[in-house]
Amino acid sequence: MRYDLVIRNGMVATPNGVEALDVGVKDGRIAALGLLAQADAAQVFDASGLTVLPGVIDSQVHFREPGLEHKEDLATGTAAAAMGGVTAVFEMPNTKPSTATSDELDDKLKRAAGRAHCDYAFYVGATAENVEKLPELEMLPGCAGVKLFMGASTGDLLVADDATLERVLRHGRRRMAVHCEDEYRMRERKHLTEAAGATAHLHPEWRDAESALLATQRLVRLARKAGRRVHVLHVTTAQEMAFLADHKDIATVETTPQHLTLAAPDCYDRLGSFAQMNPPIRSAEHRAALWQAVRSGVVDVIGSDHAPHTKEEKARPYPQSPSGMPGVQTLLPLLLDHLNQGRLTLQRLIDLTSAGAQRVFGLIGKGRIALGYDADFTIVDLKAKRQIEDAWLKSKCGWSPFEGMTVTGWPMATIVRGGFAMREGDLGKPIGQPLRFGETLRPN
């Protein structure tokens, strides 16, 4: 066989462990694993000294197109993903207009075609108005599933009350992703931010741990009543992790690199409103509980919750400053640094960033280096020391809360279905295609 690409001399993370072997790629899929020094190949990548991981999947990004392209668009967001070693993304529905109809989903798919640097899928947002359509919408090609906001959303995407939440849960069967903050408690506490001289230090006081726990408990109770699997996004509190550990049969769990890396009050001292996101960065005690949940297996995936705003927007006085920070490009460098600090193993990192997303969402051909799977690889230098700098960032917003941080571990190449999305810091052509999900397969 003549291969399209052979990756030689690397340490390759297969389901069998990390092994010294070569990888042969044909027609976008993994065709051989073994010793391929003599193999005929159109292209060879020498991975000497490098580790070949399954392609990293970021299952929560906000790329802002359509309607908010001054912050980010599908081209720049996926470029940032590829530069950071990410081979696939799930994009969220809170754009302008929101992604809540088949036409709006189709519009995003058309916008991404020929412009995306990695593979992609788009969530449909649940609203009080589209409940009856959700079973049809979640089965459309390119749809990552349904996303619901229990708090902290814009436009018509907020579903705060139990009655509508239960209706949404009963309309559909795919695992549903949920932002859990209790809108009613946050409204009661909003006055805390209105005091003279208010700063972002108040953000975790306003949107406190109780607001997160209440929403998560409500969600799980209603999910059980409806018989619907749910995915709890960006979990931030010790109490939620303890609760969710008892409900893993119906609820999967995400946390973010930001919540595993930053802690209050230090992040607000240093970054002010640039550290402001929903749910908030909390105290070191909560961060320690998140790490314990990572180690004990409660956390299923890590997503970046990449949510860019311009520097000018973020610099507004709190609470007029918008919540959210970029993160898709720094997801993997941060986790590689935590790996080198001894906070997680390479096996756990792979599970959180590739195999976990495949398992939770039923992705086809993704998440592992195995024969017949898509040739998606994130090739890293585990020992490279790099500083996160402005010039490296590809997001249109042009900043990162981690600028100036030196990390150990760095993405050297991003390969999507056998094509180079990034190689040694240089972006390739846009080669992204829609992701496929087992639950949405249709007969030929």
Side-chain angles (χ1 to χ4, degrees):
M1 180 185 293
R2 176 175 168 80
Y3 298 101
D4 301 322
L5 170 68
V6 169
I7 302 169
R8 289 185 179 145
N9 304 321
M11 298 299 295
V12 182
T14 73
N16 199 45
V18 180
E19 307 174 88
L21 49 78
D22 304 326
V23 183
V25 174
K26 181 74 172 176
D27 298 328
R29 300 202 302 175
I30 299 169
L33 295 167
L35 300 177
L36 303 174
Q38 305 304 316
D40 186 18
Q43 191 173 12
V44 173
F45 182 87
D46 186 354
S48 298
L50 305 178
T51 302
V52 183
L53 306 179
V56 169
I57 301 163
D58 188 344
S59 52
Q60 189 186 178
V61 301
H62 303 259
F63 285 163
R64 306 303 193 195
E65 185 180 348
L68 299 165
E69 289 93 337
H70 68 283
K71 305 173 191 276
E72 191 75 283
D73 61 43
L74 292 169
T76 58
T78 56
M83 188 63 74
V86 173
T87 61
V89 294
F90 296 9
E91 207 268 341
M92 289 296 172
N94 51 331
T95 46
K96 289 187 178 181
S98 304
T99 315
T101 68
S102 59
D103 287 344
E104 287 157 349
L105 174 63
D106 188 56
D107 177 62
K108 278 193 174 178
L109 289 165
K110 288 177 178 175
R111 288 170 179 269
R115 296 173 61 219
H117 290 267
C118 65
D119 285 351
Y120 51 87
F122 298 105
Y123 274 105
V124 166
T127 74
E129 290 71 34
N130 73 352
V131 173
E132 304 295 329
K133 290 284 189 181
L134 289 174
E136 172 188 334
L137 292 170
E138 71 171 4
M139 300 302 287
L140 292 174
C143 180
V146 173
K147 164 72 179 291
L148 183 140
F149 293 85
M150 294 179 70
S153 188
T154 56
D156 59 354
L157 290 179
L158 178 64
V159 177
D161 64 287
D162 283 3
T164 307
L165 174 56
E166 184 177 343
R167 284 183 63 217
V168 171
L169 287 164
R170 290 187 181 278
H171 283 78
R173 64 183 181 86
R174 293 180 69 185
R175 188 180 295 276
M176 188 174 78
V178 186
H179 178 129
C180 289
E181 289 185 284
D182 191 89
E183 181 70 13
Y184 302 106
R185 181 174 176 85
M186 291 191 299
R187 288 176 187 173
E188 291 173 357
R189 298 175 64 80
K190 183 69 165 64
H191 69 276
L192 296 175
T193 68
E194 295 166 357
T199 68
H201 291 78
L202 289 170
H203 202 58
E205 301 301 319
W206 166 30
R207 313 177 86 97
D208 65 347
E210 184 67 14
S211 71
L213 179 62
L214 281 173
T216 297
Q217 290 173 330
R218 287 171 53 210
L219 171 67
V220 170
R221 174 176 57 82
L222 292 170
R224 288 201 178 283
K225 188 177 177 183
R228 181 75 175 272
R229 297 164 298 153
V230 292
H231 181 59
V232 188
L233 297 166
H234 41 46
V235 176
T236 62
T237 71
Q239 295 92 329
E240 285 175 284
M241 288 299 187
F243 172 78
L244 288 165
D246 291 330
H247 298 278
K248 293 294 294 176
D249 56 327
I250 201 164
T252 50
V253 177
E254 176 200 77
T255 194
T256 80
Q258 299 92 299
H259 292 103
L260 290 170
T261 305
L262 303 173
D266 169 71
C267 65
Y268 302 110
D269 293 341
R270 292 188 298 107
L271 299 166
S273 57
F274 285 80
Q276 177 188 334
M277 67 176 294
N278 300 330
I281 307 296
R282 305 193 189 277
S283 67
E285 290 80 9
H286 285 292
R287 181 177 64 183
L290 301 187
W291 275 113
Q292 181 56 38
V294 166
R295 287 188 289 270
S296 62
V298 176
V299 177
D300 295 280
V301 299
I302 290 180
S304 72
D305 194 13
H306 176 85
H309 302 281
T310 67
K311 292 179 182 179
E312 293 74 20
E313 290 167 337
K314 291 294 285 185
R316 293 172 187 161
Y318 182 81
Q320 285 75 44
S321 46
S323 292
M325 62 181 75
V328 68
Q329 192 169 338
T330 52
L331 179 151
L332 183 60
L334 290 175
L335 292 181
L336 291 173
D337 192 63
H338 287 304
L339 165 71
N340 278 288
Q341 297 293 328
R343 297 188 182 100
L344 78 169
T345 64
L346 184 61
Q347 178 185 9
R348 189 71 178 109
L349 185 153
I350 291 167
D351 191 59
L352 291 164
T353 60
S354 54
Q358 188 283 325
R359 183 173 61 248
V360 168
F361 300 105
L363 281 163
I364 294 174
K366 305 294 187 183
R368 58 171 52 192
I369 298 176
L371 290 179
Y373 275 64
D374 286 355
D376 293 350
F377 310 105
T378 301
I379 302 178
V380 301
D381 185 336
L382 293 177
K383 297 305 178 185
K385 289 187 181 293
R386 298 284 192 277
Q387 187 175 76
I388 296 171
E389 298 176 334
D390 262 357
W392 176 67
L393 299 172
K394 295 299 181 183
S395 176
K396 189 180 286 189
C397 74
W399 64 276
S400 165
F402 304 106
E403 284 174 43
M405 179 179 178
T406 298
V407 296
T408 303
W410 199 254
M412 305 305 290
T414 307
I415 299 175
V416 178
R417 288 172 288 96
F420 282 90
M422 183 275 289
R423 183 169 185 168
E424 297 175 347
D426 293 325
L427 284 173
K429 294 179 180 179
I431 55 175
Q433 294 182 5
L435 293 163
R436 299 181 300 145
F437 298 85
E439 288 180 280
T440 66
L441 281 181
R442 299 182 176 187
N444 289 329

